[in-house]
Amino acid sequence: MQITWFGHSCFRIDTGKSSILIDPFLTGNPTFEESGLTVREVAKGVTHVALTHGHEDHTGDTVAICKETTIPLIAVYELAVHMASLGVEKIDPGNTGGTQSHADFDLTFVPAWHSSGVFLEGRSIYLGACCGLVIAAREGKTVYHMGDTAIFSDMGLINEIYRPDIGIVPIGDRFTMGAKTAAMACKRFFQFERVIPCHYGTFPIIDQTADKFVAEMGGNTVLVPKVGVPFEV
C-alpha cells in the first residue's frame, strides 16, 4: 500500500488496482499549490474519490475531478446527492456505520465530531453526518482517516472493531483536535503502527507545523510526510 499527502486533509491511497483520493481540496490549498503539482497529476489513475464531510476545504476539486474522469464519489448520502446536483455523474452513497465493498478494499463510515455543510445564496445547507473513513485493503493495511474531529471516547470502539494499522489524524486545533488531544486520542485508544498528521499549516488560523504533535506523541510512531511524495506502509 502506498499513501501520498497533498496538504490539508487530502490523501491518495493506492492499494492493488485501486486508488482512493480522499478530501481533494487542492485548488486554493497553499500547501498543495507550493508543491508545483497540478490537480490533473494528482487525479491521474484515481479510481475513487471519498469525502469525510461537506466543508469546502475538503470537497475542494471533487466535482471537477469526478466530471473529468467519471469515477465514482463515495460520501454520506446527503453530501453525495448534493455533489450529484453539481454535476458528479456517479455517486456511491453510504452513512455512519455502513461498509462498502470494492475490488481491493472495504470502506466504512465511522463517527466524527464536527459539522458538515455549505453556504449557498446566504443560507447554510446541511450535508449529512461528518465521518471518518476506515479503509481496509484486501492485501495490506487498514487505514483510519479520522476526518475533522474532536477526541471522543467511542474511538475505543472504532479500534476494537476495525483495528486500524495507520492513523491519519487532524492536529491543527480550533476546528479539530489540537496537538495535545490528538496525541491523547492516538495513545489512549489505538495501537497504530504509524500516525500521519494532517489539517495543519493551510491557513494562518490553525497550527502551522506538526512539531507540537510530534513532541506530544514521542517515540517513532509519527510520520510527517512531504507533499506529493508517496510512502509505503
Side-chain angles (χ1 to χ4, degrees), residues 191-224:
Q191 294 82 45
F192 291 129
E193 295 174 11
R194 281 283 180 268
V195 176
I196 305 162
C198 67
H199 208 282
Y200 67 92
T202 324
F203 309 111
I205 202 169
I206 60 178
D207 284 356
Q208 294 302 290
T209 73
D211 293 350
K212 289 191 291 185
F213 177 69
V214 173
E216 289 283 350
M217 284 293 293
N220 299 312
T221 306
V222 180
L223 171 62
V224 181

PDB file of all heavy atoms in Angstrom, residues 191-224:
ATOM      1  N   GLN A 191      -3.501   1.434  18.725  1.00  0.00           N
ATOM      2  CA  GLN A 191      -2.152   0.879  18.698  1.00  0.00           C
ATOM      3  C   GLN A 191      -1.614   1.022  17.266  1.00  0.00           C
ATOM      4  O   GLN A 191      -1.254   0.037  16.616  1.00  0.00           O
ATOM      5  CB  GLN A 191      -2.138  -0.583  19.138  1.00  0.00           C
ATOM      6  CG  GLN A 191      -2.518  -0.814  20.589  1.00  0.00           C
ATOM      7  CD  GLN A 191      -4.016  -0.825  20.813  1.00  0.00           C
ATOM      8  OE1 GLN A 191      -4.759  -1.452  20.062  1.00  0.00           O
ATOM      9  NE2 GLN A 191      -4.476  -0.124  21.851  1.00  0.00           N
ATOM     10  N   PHE A 192      -1.603   2.248  16.774  1.00  0.00           N
ATOM     11  CA  PHE A 192      -1.187   2.489  15.399  1.00  0.00           C
ATOM     12  C   PHE A 192       0.281   2.114  15.187  1.00  0.00           C
ATOM     13  O   PHE A 192       1.141   2.395  16.022  1.00  0.00           O
ATOM     14  CB  PHE A 192      -1.348   3.975  15.044  1.00  0.00           C
ATOM     15  CG  PHE A 192      -2.760   4.460  14.954  1.00  0.00           C
ATOM     16  CD1 PHE A 192      -3.149   5.612  15.648  1.00  0.00           C
ATOM     17  CD2 PHE A 192      -3.695   3.810  14.169  1.00  0.00           C
ATOM     18  CE1 PHE A 192      -4.438   6.103  15.549  1.00  0.00           C
ATOM     19  CE2 PHE A 192      -4.995   4.276  14.072  1.00  0.00           C
ATOM     20  CZ  PHE A 192      -5.376   5.425  14.762  1.00  0.00           C
ATOM     21  N   GLU A 193       0.555   1.547  14.020  1.00  0.00           N
ATOM     22  CA  GLU A 193       1.941   1.354  13.599  1.00  0.00           C
ATOM     23  C   GLU A 193       2.555   2.684  13.163  1.00  0.00           C
ATOM     24  O   GLU A 193       3.733   2.946  13.403  1.00  0.00           O
ATOM     25  CB  GLU A 193       2.010   0.363  12.434  1.00  0.00           C
ATOM     26  CG  GLU A 193       1.571  -1.045  12.766  1.00  0.00           C
ATOM     27  CD  GLU A 193       1.540  -1.925  11.542  1.00  0.00           C
ATOM     28  OE1 GLU A 193       2.053  -1.500  10.469  1.00  0.00           O
ATOM     29  OE2 GLU A 193       1.005  -3.047  11.630  1.00  0.00           O
ATOM     30  N   ARG A 194       1.738   3.480  12.495  1.00  0.00           N
ATOM     31  CA  ARG A 194       2.158   4.790  12.013  1.00  0.00           C
ATOM     32  C   ARG A 194       1.015   5.781  12.197  1.00  0.00           C
ATOM     33  O   ARG A 194      -0.149   5.458  11.984  1.00  0.00           O
ATOM     34  CB  ARG A 194       2.526   4.739  10.524  1.00  0.00           C
ATOM     35  CG  ARG A 194       3.904   4.158  10.250  1.00  0.00           C
ATOM     36  CD  ARG A 194       4.991   5.188  10.558  1.00  0.00           C
ATOM     37  NE  ARG A 194       6.327   4.675  10.307  1.00  0.00           N
ATOM     38  CZ  ARG A 194       7.088   4.080  11.203  1.00  0.00           C
ATOM     39  NH1 ARG A 194       6.631   3.890  12.435  1.00  0.00           N
ATOM     40  NH2 ARG A 194       8.292   3.670  10.893  1.00  0.00           N
ATOM     41  N   VAL A 195       1.375   7.000  12.580  1.00  0.00           N
ATOM     42  CA  VAL A 195       0.415   8.088  12.710  1.00  0.00           C
ATOM     43  C   VAL A 195       0.845   9.211  11.772  1.00  0.00           C
ATOM     44  O   VAL A 195       1.997   9.653  11.806  1.00  0.00           O
ATOM     45  CB  VAL A 195       0.347   8.604  14.156  1.00  0.00           C
ATOM     46  CG1 VAL A 195      -0.601   9.802  14.236  1.00  0.00           C
ATOM     47  CG2 VAL A 195      -0.110   7.505  15.100  1.00  0.00           C
ATOM     48  N   ILE A 196      -0.087   9.664  10.938  1.00  0.00           N
ATOM     49  CA  ILE A 196       0.207  10.694   9.946  1.00  0.00           C
ATOM     50  C   ILE A 196      -0.639  11.924  10.272  1.00  0.00           C
ATOM     51  O   ILE A 196      -1.875  11.869  10.196  1.00  0.00           O
ATOM     52  CB  ILE A 196      -0.114  10.189   8.529  1.00  0.00           C
ATOM     53  CG1 ILE A 196       0.642   8.881   8.257  1.00  0.00           C
ATOM     54  CG2 ILE A 196       0.237  11.246   7.495  1.00  0.00           C
ATOM     55  CD1 ILE A 196       0.080   8.084   7.112  1.00  0.00           C
ATOM     56  N   PRO A 197      -0.028  13.027  10.651  1.00  0.00           N
ATOM     57  CA  PRO A 197      -0.797  14.234  10.988  1.00  0.00           C
ATOM     58  C   PRO A 197      -1.286  14.959   9.734  1.00  0.00           C
ATOM     59  O   PRO A 197      -0.662  14.901   8.668  1.00  0.00           O
ATOM     60  CB  PRO A 197       0.217  15.084  11.756  1.00  0.00           C
ATOM     61  CG  PRO A 197       1.544  14.670  11.193  1.00  0.00           C
ATOM     62  CD  PRO A 197       1.419  13.216  10.849  1.00  0.00           C
ATOM     63  N   CYS A 198      -2.408  15.659   9.884  1.00  0.00           N
ATOM     64  CA  CYS A 198      -2.944  16.455   8.776  1.00  0.00           C
ATOM     65  C   CYS A 198      -3.745  17.632   9.336  1.00  0.00           C
ATOM     66  O   CYS A 198      -3.820  17.831  10.547  1.00  0.00           O
ATOM     67  CB  CYS A 198      -3.805  15.600   7.845  1.00  0.00           C
ATOM     68  SG  CYS A 198      -5.351  14.988   8.569  1.00  0.00           S
ATOM     69  N   HIS A 199      -4.330  18.422   8.440  1.00  0.00           N
ATOM     70  CA  HIS A 199      -5.163  19.575   8.789  1.00  0.00           C
ATOM     71  C   HIS A 199      -4.373  20.597   9.611  1.00  0.00           C
ATOM     72  O   HIS A 199      -4.811  21.082  10.642  1.00  0.00           O
ATOM     73  CB  HIS A 199      -6.407  19.127   9.556  1.00  0.00           C
ATOM     74  CG  HIS A 199      -7.595  20.045   9.377  1.00  0.00           C
ATOM     75  ND1 HIS A 199      -7.711  21.245  10.046  1.00  0.00           N
ATOM     76  CD2 HIS A 199      -8.694  19.945   8.602  1.00  0.00           C
ATOM     77  CE1 HIS A 199      -8.846  21.832   9.701  1.00  0.00           C
ATOM     78  NE2 HIS A 199      -9.459  21.066   8.812  1.00  0.00           N
ATOM     79  N   TYR A 200      -3.185  20.933   9.099  1.00  0.00           N
ATOM     80  CA  TYR A 200      -2.361  21.971   9.725  1.00  0.00           C
ATOM     81  C   TYR A 200      -1.602  22.706   8.624  1.00  0.00           C
ATOM     82  O   TYR A 200      -1.434  22.204   7.508  1.00  0.00           O
ATOM     83  CB  TYR A 200      -1.372  21.362  10.727  1.00  0.00           C
ATOM     84  CG  TYR A 200      -0.304  20.507  10.105  1.00  0.00           C
ATOM     85  CD1 TYR A 200       0.932  21.053   9.729  1.00  0.00           C
ATOM     86  CD2 TYR A 200      -0.507  19.145   9.870  1.00  0.00           C
ATOM     87  CE1 TYR A 200       1.911  20.272   9.129  1.00  0.00           C
ATOM     88  CE2 TYR A 200       0.466  18.365   9.281  1.00  0.00           C
ATOM     89  CZ  TYR A 200       1.672  18.931   8.909  1.00  0.00           C
ATOM     90  OH  TYR A 200       2.641  18.150   8.318  1.00  0.00           O
ATOM     91  N   GLY A 201      -1.181  23.925   8.928  1.00  0.00           N
ATOM     92  CA  GLY A 201      -0.331  24.675   8.017  1.00  0.00           C
ATOM     93  C   GLY A 201      -1.020  25.311   6.822  1.00  0.00           C
ATOM     94  O   GLY A 201      -0.391  26.057   6.071  1.00  0.00           O
ATOM     95  N   THR A 202      -2.301  25.029   6.652  1.00  0.00           N
ATOM     96  CA  THR A 202      -3.001  25.505   5.459  1.00  0.00           C
ATOM     97  C   THR A 202      -3.410  26.963   5.569  1.00  0.00           C
ATOM     98  O   THR A 202      -3.306  27.718   4.601  1.00  0.00           O
ATOM     99  CB  THR A 202      -4.258  24.644   5.216  1.00  0.00           C
ATOM    100  OG1 THR A 202      -3.984  23.287   5.571  1.00  0.00           O
ATOM    101  CG2 THR A 202      -4.684  24.715   3.769  1.00  0.00           C
ATOM    102  N   PHE A 203      -3.912  27.345   6.739  1.00  0.00           N
ATOM    103  CA  PHE A 203      -4.404  28.695   6.971  1.00  0.00           C
ATOM    104  C   PHE A 203      -3.742  29.256   8.233  1.00  0.00           C
ATOM    105  O   PHE A 203      -3.427  28.494   9.154  1.00  0.00           O
ATOM    106  CB  PHE A 203      -5.922  28.692   7.136  1.00  0.00           C
ATOM    107  CG  PHE A 203      -6.659  27.978   6.033  1.00  0.00           C
ATOM    108  CD1 PHE A 203      -7.311  26.783   6.280  1.00  0.00           C
ATOM    109  CD2 PHE A 203      -6.681  28.499   4.747  1.00  0.00           C
ATOM    110  CE1 PHE A 203      -7.988  26.109   5.268  1.00  0.00           C
ATOM    111  CE2 PHE A 203      -7.351  27.839   3.729  1.00  0.00           C
ATOM    112  CZ  PHE A 203      -8.001  26.640   3.990  1.00  0.00           C
ATOM    113  N   PRO A 204      -3.557  30.572   8.316  1.00  0.00           N
ATOM    114  CA  PRO A 204      -2.894  31.165   9.487  1.00  0.00           C
ATOM    115  C   PRO A 204      -3.600  30.885  10.807  1.00  0.00           C
ATOM    116  O   PRO A 204      -2.960  30.888  11.861  1.00  0.00           O
ATOM    117  CB  PRO A 204      -2.889  32.662   9.172  1.00  0.00           C
ATOM    118  CG  PRO A 204      -3.015  32.748   7.686  1.00  0.00           C
ATOM    119  CD  PRO A 204      -3.862  31.580   7.276  1.00  0.00           C
ATOM    120  N   ILE A 205      -4.883  30.601  10.764  1.00  0.00           N
ATOM    121  CA  ILE A 205      -5.676  30.465  11.977  1.00  0.00           C
ATOM    122  C   ILE A 205      -5.474  29.121  12.677  1.00  0.00           C
ATOM    123  O   ILE A 205      -5.874  28.935  13.833  1.00  0.00           O
ATOM    124  CB  ILE A 205      -7.172  30.704  11.641  1.00  0.00           C
ATOM    125  CG1 ILE A 205      -7.943  31.112  12.894  1.00  0.00           C
ATOM    126  CG2 ILE A 205      -7.790  29.492  10.971  1.00  0.00           C
ATOM    127  CD1 ILE A 205      -9.342  31.607  12.602  1.00  0.00           C
ATOM    128  N   ILE A 206      -4.854  28.153  11.986  1.00  0.00           N
ATOM    129  CA  ILE A 206      -4.594  26.863  12.604  1.00  0.00           C
ATOM    130  C   ILE A 206      -3.081  26.670  12.777  1.00  0.00           C
ATOM    131  O   ILE A 206      -2.281  27.430  12.242  1.00  0.00           O
ATOM    132  CB  ILE A 206      -5.192  25.695  11.789  1.00  0.00           C
ATOM    133  CG1 ILE A 206      -4.607  25.647  10.370  1.00  0.00           C
ATOM    134  CG2 ILE A 206      -6.708  25.821  11.748  1.00  0.00           C
ATOM    135  CD1 ILE A 206      -5.130  24.486   9.528  1.00  0.00           C
ATOM    136  N   ASP A 207      -2.675  25.660  13.541  1.00  0.00           N
ATOM    137  CA  ASP A 207      -1.247  25.419  13.782  1.00  0.00           C
ATOM    138  C   ASP A 207      -0.512  25.261  12.460  1.00  0.00           C
ATOM    139  O   ASP A 207      -1.008  24.621  11.528  1.00  0.00           O
ATOM    140  CB  ASP A 207      -1.052  24.180  14.647  1.00  0.00           C
ATOM    141  CG  ASP A 207      -1.368  24.437  16.111  1.00  0.00           C
ATOM    142  OD1 ASP A 207      -1.671  25.594  16.464  1.00  0.00           O
ATOM    143  OD2 ASP A 207      -1.327  23.470  16.902  1.00  0.00           O
ATOM    144  N   GLN A 208       0.691  25.786  12.408  1.00  0.00           N
ATOM    145  CA  GLN A 208       1.429  25.841  11.148  1.00  0.00           C
ATOM    146  C   GLN A 208       2.335  24.643  10.902  1.00  0.00           C
ATOM    147  O   GLN A 208       2.693  24.371   9.755  1.00  0.00           O
ATOM    148  CB  GLN A 208       2.250  27.133  11.105  1.00  0.00           C
ATOM    149  CG  GLN A 208       1.397  28.389  11.053  1.00  0.00           C
ATOM    150  CD  GLN A 208       0.465  28.394   9.851  1.00  0.00           C
ATOM    151  OE1 GLN A 208       0.912  28.518   8.714  1.00  0.00           O
ATOM    152  NE2 GLN A 208      -0.836  28.263  10.094  1.00  0.00           N
ATOM    153  N   THR A 209       2.724  23.946  11.944  1.00  0.00           N
ATOM    154  CA  THR A 209       3.582  22.777  11.782  1.00  0.00           C
ATOM    155  C   THR A 209       3.049  21.635  12.640  1.00  0.00           C
ATOM    156  O   THR A 209       2.171  21.822  13.488  1.00  0.00           O
ATOM    157  CB  THR A 209       5.037  23.065  12.201  1.00  0.00           C
ATOM    158  OG1 THR A 209       5.106  23.159  13.635  1.00  0.00           O
ATOM    159  CG2 THR A 209       5.549  24.362  11.566  1.00  0.00           C
ATOM    160  N   ALA A 210       3.643  20.466  12.436  1.00  0.00           N
ATOM    161  CA  ALA A 210       3.285  19.296  13.236  1.00  0.00           C
ATOM    162  C   ALA A 210       4.196  19.130  14.447  1.00  0.00           C
ATOM    163  O   ALA A 210       4.105  18.126  15.160  1.00  0.00           O
ATOM    164  CB  ALA A 210       3.355  18.044  12.366  1.00  0.00           C
ATOM    165  N   ASP A 211       5.035  20.114  14.718  1.00  0.00           N
ATOM    166  CA  ASP A 211       6.059  19.974  15.755  1.00  0.00           C
ATOM    167  C   ASP A 211       5.474  19.664  17.135  1.00  0.00           C
ATOM    168  O   ASP A 211       5.982  18.789  17.851  1.00  0.00           O
ATOM    169  CB  ASP A 211       6.917  21.237  15.831  1.00  0.00           C
ATOM    170  CG  ASP A 211       7.759  21.453  14.582  1.00  0.00           C
ATOM    171  OD1 ASP A 211       7.827  20.523  13.745  1.00  0.00           O
ATOM    172  OD2 ASP A 211       8.337  22.547  14.430  1.00  0.00           O
ATOM    173  N   LYS A 212       4.423  20.386  17.523  1.00  0.00           N
ATOM    174  CA  LYS A 212       3.839  20.164  18.852  1.00  0.00           C
ATOM    175  C   LYS A 212       3.251  18.762  18.967  1.00  0.00           C
ATOM    176  O   LYS A 212       3.365  18.109  20.017  1.00  0.00           O
ATOM    177  CB  LYS A 212       2.778  21.227  19.151  1.00  0.00           C
ATOM    178  CG  LYS A 212       3.325  22.612  19.402  1.00  0.00           C
ATOM    179  CD  LYS A 212       2.269  23.563  19.942  1.00  0.00           C
ATOM    180  CE  LYS A 212       1.218  23.915  18.936  1.00  0.00           C
ATOM    181  NZ  LYS A 212       0.250  24.925  19.434  1.00  0.00           N
ATOM    182  N   PHE A 213       2.636  18.304  17.899  1.00  0.00           N
ATOM    183  CA  PHE A 213       2.056  16.959  17.906  1.00  0.00           C
ATOM    184  C   PHE A 213       3.150  15.900  18.008  1.00  0.00           C
ATOM    185  O   PHE A 213       3.028  14.940  18.789  1.00  0.00           O
ATOM    186  CB  PHE A 213       1.225  16.745  16.645  1.00  0.00           C
ATOM    187  CG  PHE A 213       0.651  15.368  16.513  1.00  0.00           C
ATOM    188  CD1 PHE A 213      -0.348  14.932  17.370  1.00  0.00           C
ATOM    189  CD2 PHE A 213       1.106  14.498  15.528  1.00  0.00           C
ATOM    190  CE1 PHE A 213      -0.880  13.648  17.251  1.00  0.00           C
ATOM    191  CE2 PHE A 213       0.583  13.222  15.400  1.00  0.00           C
ATOM    192  CZ  PHE A 213      -0.418  12.796  16.262  1.00  0.00           C
ATOM    193  N   VAL A 214       4.203  16.057  17.247  1.00  0.00           N
ATOM    194  CA  VAL A 214       5.327  15.110  17.299  1.00  0.00           C
ATOM    195  C   VAL A 214       5.896  15.050  18.710  1.00  0.00           C
ATOM    196  O   VAL A 214       6.181  13.970  19.244  1.00  0.00           O
ATOM    197  CB  VAL A 214       6.417  15.499  16.280  1.00  0.00           C
ATOM    198  CG1 VAL A 214       7.652  14.628  16.462  1.00  0.00           C
ATOM    199  CG2 VAL A 214       5.885  15.387  14.846  1.00  0.00           C
ATOM    200  N   ALA A 215       6.036  16.216  19.341  1.00  0.00           N
ATOM    201  CA  ALA A 215       6.562  16.263  20.705  1.00  0.00           C
ATOM    202  C   ALA A 215       5.627  15.566  21.689  1.00  0.00           C
ATOM    203  O   ALA A 215       6.073  14.851  22.595  1.00  0.00           O
ATOM    204  CB  ALA A 215       6.805  17.713  21.118  1.00  0.00           C
ATOM    205  N   GLU A 216       4.324  15.784  21.519  1.00  0.00           N
ATOM    206  CA  GLU A 216       3.340  15.160  22.413  1.00  0.00           C
ATOM    207  C   GLU A 216       3.325  13.638  22.235  1.00  0.00           C
ATOM    208  O   GLU A 216       3.137  12.897  23.202  1.00  0.00           O
ATOM    209  CB  GLU A 216       1.942  15.717  22.140  1.00  0.00           C
ATOM    210  CG  GLU A 216       1.719  17.147  22.579  1.00  0.00           C
ATOM    211  CD  GLU A 216       1.515  17.284  24.084  1.00  0.00           C
ATOM    212  OE1 GLU A 216       1.351  16.246  24.767  1.00  0.00           O
ATOM    213  OE2 GLU A 216       1.529  18.424  24.574  1.00  0.00           O
ATOM    214  N   MET A 217       3.527  13.181  21.024  1.00  0.00           N
ATOM    215  CA  MET A 217       3.481  11.744  20.757  1.00  0.00           C
ATOM    216  C   MET A 217       4.716  11.031  21.278  1.00  0.00           C
ATOM    217  O   MET A 217       4.629   9.930  21.826  1.00  0.00           O
ATOM    218  CB  MET A 217       3.344  11.493  19.255  1.00  0.00           C
ATOM    219  CG  MET A 217       1.952  11.748  18.710  1.00  0.00           C
ATOM    220  SD  MET A 217       0.712  10.582  19.311  1.00  0.00           S
ATOM    221  CE  MET A 217       1.272   9.048  18.558  1.00  0.00           C
ATOM    222  N   GLY A 218       5.898  11.643  21.103  1.00  0.00           N
ATOM    223  CA  GLY A 218       7.133  10.973  21.487  1.00  0.00           C
ATOM    224  C   GLY A 218       7.368   9.735  20.619  1.00  0.00           C
ATOM    225  O   GLY A 218       6.559   9.381  19.760  1.00  0.00           O
ATOM    226  N   GLY A 219       8.471   9.061  20.806  1.00  0.00           N
ATOM    227  CA  GLY A 219       8.742   7.822  20.082  1.00  0.00           C
ATOM    228  C   GLY A 219       8.912   8.024  18.588  1.00  0.00           C
ATOM    229  O   GLY A 219       9.153   9.139  18.106  1.00  0.00           O
ATOM    230  N   ASN A 220       8.741   6.938  17.853  1.00  0.00           N
ATOM    231  CA  ASN A 220       8.969   6.958  16.411  1.00  0.00           C
ATOM    232  C   ASN A 220       7.718   6.638  15.606  1.00  0.00           C
ATOM    233  O   ASN A 220       7.797   6.220  14.452  1.00  0.00           O
ATOM    234  CB  ASN A 220      10.075   5.943  16.050  1.00  0.00           C
ATOM    235  CG  ASN A 220      11.385   6.268  16.726  1.00  0.00           C
ATOM    236  OD1 ASN A 220      11.835   7.408  16.709  1.00  0.00           O
ATOM    237  ND2 ASN A 220      12.007   5.256  17.334  1.00  0.00           N
ATOM    238  N   THR A 221       6.556   6.823  16.225  1.00  0.00           N
ATOM    239  CA  THR A 221       5.317   6.429  15.561  1.00  0.00           C
ATOM    240  C   THR A 221       4.898   7.410  14.473  1.00  0.00           C
ATOM    241  O   THR A 221       4.328   7.022  13.460  1.00  0.00           O
ATOM    242  CB  THR A 221       4.172   6.317  16.592  1.00  0.00           C
ATOM    243  OG1 THR A 221       4.579   5.442  17.624  1.00  0.00           O
ATOM    244  CG2 THR A 221       2.904   5.773  15.950  1.00  0.00           C
ATOM    245  N   VAL A 222       5.177   8.702  14.659  1.00  0.00           N
ATOM    246  CA  VAL A 222       4.662   9.736  13.764  1.00  0.00           C
ATOM    247  C   VAL A 222       5.503   9.811  12.490  1.00  0.00           C
ATOM    248  O   VAL A 222       6.729   9.850  12.530  1.00  0.00           O
ATOM    249  CB  VAL A 222       4.645  11.113  14.453  1.00  0.00           C
ATOM    250  CG1 VAL A 222       4.098  12.175  13.501  1.00  0.00           C
ATOM    251  CG2 VAL A 222       3.817  11.056  15.733  1.00  0.00           C
ATOM    252  N   LEU A 223       4.808   9.850  11.367  1.00  0.00           N
ATOM    253  CA  LEU A 223       5.437  10.092  10.077  1.00  0.00           C
ATOM    254  C   LEU A 223       4.867  11.394   9.531  1.00  0.00           C
ATOM    255  O   LEU A 223       3.664  11.484   9.266  1.00  0.00           O
ATOM    256  CB  LEU A 223       5.143   8.947   9.111  1.00  0.00           C
ATOM    257  CG  LEU A 223       5.559   9.147   7.654  1.00  0.00           C
ATOM    258  CD1 LEU A 223       7.059   9.335   7.536  1.00  0.00           C
ATOM    259  CD2 LEU A 223       5.111   7.971   6.804  1.00  0.00           C
ATOM    260  N   VAL A 224       5.704  12.422   9.383  1.00  0.00           N
ATOM    261  CA  VAL A 224       5.285  13.696   8.810  1.00  0.00           C
ATOM    262  C   VAL A 224       5.697  13.687   7.347  1.00  0.00           C
ATOM    263  O   VAL A 224       6.858  13.848   7.016  1.00  0.00           O
ATOM    264  CB  VAL A 224       5.934  14.885   9.547  1.00  0.00           C
ATOM    265  CG1 VAL A 224       5.462  16.202   8.932  1.00  0.00           C
ATOM    266  CG2 VAL A 224       5.589  14.839  11.041  1.00  0.00           C
TER     267      VAL A 224
END
